[in-house]
Every structure is written in C-alpha cells, then in structure tokens.
Amino acid sequence: MSYPISHSLFKASFPGSENIKEIQSEAGQDLFVLSLLNGKRNGNYLEIGTWHSKDKSNSFLLEKQFGWKGASIDIDYRYV
C-alpha cells in the first residue's frame, strides 16, 4: 500500500524531495531519515521488524529512489 504525499506537508525539504510522489512507510520514517540526512543518496540501512518488502516498508523509498542498500530482518520467516 502506498500513501500519496503533499509537499506542503514537509516541514523541511531536502534534495530530491520534489520527486517523491508517494511513500510506503506508515508514519513517514523514511522521510524523517531523509530530512535528517538532507536527502542523502547511496546510504546504508538496517531495518529490523521489516514485515513486507514493499507494503508499509520504511526502507523502500530509500532503496528505490535514493540508491540506499541494506539488510532487512524479521522474526517471521514468511517475510525474510
């Protein structure tokens, strides 16, 4: 499930934010990270409690639009 976003909701824009049309994260964790790191590209992440690789993913946007790489871990083997 993706969530459309309005750029007027951004308290702090960052390089690349103008290209984001929707996010997968439920509470904007991906936008929070990008805001703190000023739109960092090609970063690394470790996502714990990942559930699904796309739906409600906190790292999907980082990986697909900002070139990040990382590892996602979940205790439920169906989502590994």
Side-chain angles (χ1 to χ4, degrees):
M1 175 175 212
S2 61
Y3 304 93
I5 61 168
S6 169
H7 293 277
S8 63
L9 297 175
F10 283 18
K11 293 191 180 199
S13 62
F14 50 86
S17 64
E18 66 279 357
N19 299 322
I20 300 171
K21 305 296 181 220
E22 59 185 25
I23 59 172
Q24 303 298 326
S25 65
E26 216 170 358
Q29 296 91 327
D30 44 8
L31 296 176
F32 176 73
V33 168
L34 289 168
S35 294
L36 285 178
L37 299 176
N38 197 33
K40 180 177 176 63
R41 294 192 174 273
N42 304 313
N44 296 297
Y45 67 84
L46 173 61
E47 185 173 5
I48 300 172
T50 201
W51 188 64
H52 190 275
S53 61
K54 184 176 179 184
D55 292 340
K56 299 181 183 176
S57 172
N58 296 324
S59 58
F60 187 79
L61 175 68
L62 300 174
E63 190 173 338
K64 297 301 178 190
Q65 289 190 22
F66 287 83
W68 287 48
K69 294 182 181 179
S72 299
I73 300 169
D74 200 288
I75 195 168
D76 190 331
Y77 70 91
R78 294 175 294 175
Y79 302 113
V80 174

